[in-house]
Structure formats: structure tokens, C-alpha cells
Amino acid sequence: MMSQIPQLSACPSCEEPLESGDRFCGACGYDLSAVPAPPDDNPTVTMNGTAAQPPAAAASVDWPVAPEVDSSETPAPVVLPTDIDGRESGGSDSPGVRFDRPAGVPAEPEEYPLAAPLPPEAPPADPRAAGDPRTAGPATPAAGTKVCVACRAGQVDRDGYCENCGHAQPRERDHMEQELSAVSAVSDRGLRHHRNEDAFAVSSTALPDGSPAVVAIVCDGVSSATRPDEASLAASRVANESLLAALPRGTHPQQAMHEAILAAAEAVNSLADRSAPAHEHQPHVNAPACTLVGAVVTPSLLIVGWVGDSRVYWVPVDRTQPPARLTEDDSWAAQMVAAGLMSEAEAYADERAHAITGWLGADAYELEPHTASFKPDRPGVVVVCTDGLWNYAEAAEEMAEVMPPDAADRPLHSAQVLVGHALDGGGHDNVTVAVLPFPAPSQGAGSA
């Protein structure tokens, strides 16, 4: 009954303004008559009940690393903020960042007007004879037809909107979870975005000697590009397939990761509009783009690879040992710090901090895949995530504080807790995280 519907000023799902008497949200189709009660479980509470202990200066993790070697001994060149080209991953133009629009091309409006509704047909003398919806029950949809969740009558078009009432439909990618024996991942649309532009792929296979190799790929679509959701989905799938093909053949995991990033880049490049002028470096073309970060875990090695500002963190099972961040962002802030022009606190406080300087896409300036190999000397958990999570737990110590103490035994629950932490913190971006225990367990090493 209408009296049972809460009087809300905004949709609990997407925060679209509501009018009195609305039964469904006009933006996302949310059923306002079934507003859920707040859950009893609060994943933002520290799971171990203690504050994070600062790592001792002498307690650094001594792992063999395969870094990217720079043989040049010349000092770092002086870099000015205006010299750095990049792209704003959050979807807005950033001062000092190259992301221009060609002259004469107007900015896209924030809202698009809907087409005027068709005039109503004259009702027949007997409404029941013509199947008047006031007297007839809901029509049975044809097999395979998706029906609107709001009006329960109209078909849903390929863009996800009802052809009858115009309501946006819940998307399949709004919330995704996948659990394997040795890795789990969760992705959520967040509380501010109208769609989920993140994607992930998790799997496991066996190396030539029969030992297991567990894979996690996480991609973040660049919102300021066109079709970022397609870019992240294509990149995650292709990178995962490339690793599953290379690792059983005996390719070194670090080389396999490098090749997987190149394959993912080709997949994203193929999504670009080939009818656009094929001149070099045309950011206004807005080719589909995304970032990529991945990890491969074996019984003795941890391999990471990335392009962009998604990250990998290491959290040891023994929380008295220090956690670590294993990747460096391709971002304006990271370049300012590397050039010695700003401290990390100053750089990340700047409005240009999250402008990425590396991504996968046809209009990327130069593809530079980063890979590194580690050999941990103790068990732990590997966290592979987008900035939708690390914006709320940026330091490695903060990530370890949020991580449940039983993460190595319950990776799916841990991924859910981390996503919940980001949503409780504001959920301003899509959130995706994969959790991989190290070392990879010997059981369940078959391909998945």
C-alpha cells in the first residue's frame, strides 16, 4: 500500500531526488517500498580490535626483487607540473593535464532530454476486450525477454532502459563476486557512479612441474574516456587468458605478466573508433581506456604487473610484521614525488594528484608495462585493488588495519569487508578488490 512506502527525499541506491508518492526510482529502478533495514554487521570495524602498530625501522621485508633497472647515473631531470601529460581517471578534466576538446566541439550536457511520449490511443468501448492494463494482469513476456523491474510490462532495450516507462534497470555488473579455492574478488558500483566501470578476472592453473599458479587481474575504466566499462572488461579477460596460456608452457611468470599486459593493451586498442582521424596523440578522440594491475602467486614467488594507478598490497599473516605496497602509481602525484618537486603529502593533496600518466588505450602516449618479482619469506595475503578502495586505505598500514585477521583462510569474506570499508567511507568511485593468500595452496591447482 502507498501508506507503507517511506517518504524519502532521495533514492537509497543512487541518491536520485524523489518526488512525493514515487514508488520506484526514475534513475535506477530501485523499489522504494522495500527499503532494507541497516545491517547489523559493520565491516568497517577493526576486525582484530587493535590499532595498527607502526613498523620498526629494522623490520623491513627483505625480499629478492626484480626491479626495473635504470642504468643511467645522471640526476633526475627537472620536471614541471605543466610538462606532465595525463588523463583524469575520475572523469573530470584536471588543470595542467592534457585532455583537451577540439575547437568547435561543444561540451557534453550533464543530462539528455527524453523524447516526447507518444499520444495516447483512444480507449475501446470495452477496455477488457483490448487487454486494458487496468483490468488485465501482467502480460506474459516472451521467452528470453527481459522485463522492466519498475512497470513489470515493458521490455528492456540494449542500453538498459525500459521501452515502456524509461526506467534504468539494475546492471549485472553493479555488484559482482567470485570465489575460487585460492583467490576471491568482489566489485561494486559504489554509491556515486551510475555504472560499474571496473572489471576483474581470477583463475588458477598449474605450472609445468605441477605446482599451482593463482592469477588475479583488476582493471579500472577511465571515466573520461568513452566506453570505459568495455575497456576494463576486455583488458581483464584478455590478460587472464594470456596468463593461463603462458604459465603452463613454462614461461617465467614475470615475462608472462609482461606479455599479458601487452595483449590487454591490444584488446583495448581494438575498441577505438577507427573512423576517427588516425593522428598521433589525439586525446579528444576519447578512445576507450582503462588501467590494469595483476598478480600471480605460486608456492614460492609473487609476481605483480601494472599500468596506471591501481595497486597491489602485501599484508603478512603475522600482523607484527610490516605490510607493504608493491606498486608505484603512473600518476601526476607519483611523478612529482619521484622528481623531488613535492613531498608525498603535498603531491597527493593537489587537485591534480590522481591524473594518471599511464593507461591502456589507443590514445595512450606510450605503453610502459611495469612488472616486479618478489619471494616472500613468510605467509601473507596479496590485495589487488582499484583506487576506489585505496582512496580509503592508502597507506599499507591502513590496508592491514582494515584487513580481517583470518584473511588467508577467508579471502572472499575479506574482499567483502574491504569493499564495505570503501562504501562506508563514501563510495565515491567503483570499488574492486581481489584477495590472494600466499603461498599458493598445493590443492586445487587445476585451471578454473
Side-chain angles (χ1 to χ4, degrees):
M1 297 178 61
M2 292 296 293
S3 61
Q4 296 175 330
I5 300 177
Q7 296 300 312
L8 305 174
S9 60
C11 174
S13 175
C14 67
E15 299 193 356
E16 179 75 11
L18 301 175
E19 296 182 1
S20 176
D22 281 353
R23 300 187 63 185
F24 298 92
C25 174
C28 69
Y30 189 88
D31 187 350
L32 302 175
S33 65
V35 178
D40 296 331
D41 183 25
N42 186 348
T44 61
V45 176
T46 302
M47 302 302 292
N48 59 11
T50 60
Q53 299 298 321
S60 60
V61 182
D62 185 16
W63 297 343
V65 183
E68 299 177 31
V69 179
D70 182 6
S71 59
S72 173
E73 297 182 356
T74 59
V78 176
V79 182
L80 299 178
T82 54
D83 295 335
I84 297 178
D85 293 332
R87 164 169 273 175
E88 176 58 49
S89 59
S92 60
D93 294 349
S94 178
V97 177
R98 180 180 177 184
F99 187 65
D100 51 350
R101 186 175 285 108
V105 178
E108 294 185 2
E110 294 184 359
E111 297 183 0
Y112 293 88
L114 296 176
L118 296 174
E121 298 179 358
D126 184 0
R128 291 171 293 181
D132 192 318
R134 294 171 297 178
T135 58
T140 302
T145 301
K146 189 174 182 180
V147 180
C148 175
V149 300
C151 68
R152 306 292 181 182
Q155 297 184 12
V156 178
D157 63 21
R158 60 181 299 177
D159 294 325
Y161 291 87
C162 176
E163 296 177 345
N164 178 52
C165 67
H167 280 271
Q169 306 299 298
R171 294 176 172 87
E172 181 181 358
R173 289 173 63 178
D174 281 358
H175 186 87
M176 302 178 292
E177 297 186 2
Q178 186 174 357
E179 180 181 25
L180 301 180
S181 59
V183 58
S184 294
V186 177
S187 182
D188 193 272
R189 176 172 62 94
L191 305 179
R192 303 293 181 179
H193 281 224
H194 71 286
R195 65 180 174 186
N196 189 358
E197 296 168 357
D198 289 356
F200 68 81
V202 294
S203 60
S204 63
T205 186
L207 301 177
D209 62 359
S211 61
V214 184
V215 174
I217 300 293
V218 169
C219 296
D220 184 354
V222 178
S223 296
S224 54
T226 58
R227 295 148 53 208
D229 53 332
E230 295 181 31
S232 62
L233 185 62
S236 61
R237 287 178 173 176
V238 170
N240 181 64
E241 293 168 359
S242 177
L243 285 164
L244 290 182
L247 292 172
R249 292 197 306 260
T251 306
H252 189 281
Q254 189 168 357
Q255 179 63 30
M257 178 64 75
H258 181 88
E259 294 173 356
I261 295 175
L262 296 179
E266 286 297 321
V268 178
N269 290 349
S270 68
L271 299 176
D273 183 3
R274 299 302 179 182
S275 64
H279 297 108
E280 186 180 11
H281 303 332
Q282 292 193 18
H284 58 267
V285 174
N286 266 359
C290 69
T291 68
L292 181 148
V293 65
V296 175
V297 170
T298 74
S300 60
L301 286 177
L302 165 58
I303 309 298
V304 300
W306 73 98
V307 173
D309 62 349
S310 293
R311 295 180 175 180
V312 178
Y313 290 85
W314 164 262
V315 180
V317 170
D318 180 1
R319 297 302 175 85
T320 64
Q321 301 299 318
R325 192 180 79 177
L326 306 182
T327 57
E328 288 292 337
D329 300 342
D330 288 322
S331 69
W332 183 93
Q335 289 201 9
M336 290 294 100
V337 175
L341 300 178
M342 289 184 176
S343 68
E344 187 169 359
E346 293 171 336
Y348 280 96
D350 193 283
E351 61 182 355
R352 296 163 291 187
H354 288 277
I356 56 175
T357 57
W359 62 86
L360 306 183
D363 60 357
Y365 300 110
E366 184 177 1
L367 179 61
E368 296 182 1
H370 311 289
T371 61
S373 176
F374 303 90
K375 192 172 184 179
D377 59 357
R378 57 182 61 93
V381 175
V382 180
V383 179
V384 185
C385 65
T386 62
D387 61 345
L389 170 61
W390 67 253
N391 278 333
Y392 300 98
E394 184 170 349
E397 292 76 17
E398 294 175 310
M399 189 67 69
E401 177 70 12
V402 180
M403 178 73 71
D406 60 351
D409 299 321
R410 303 174 66 193
L412 177 59
H413 173 257
S414 299
Q416 293 168 338
V417 168
L418 293 175
V419 170
H421 174 76
L423 297 180
D424 287 348
H428 286 78
D429 200 354
N430 307 143
V431 190
T432 302
V433 56
V435 176
L436 305 87
F438 179 91
S442 57
Q443 66 272 16
S447 178

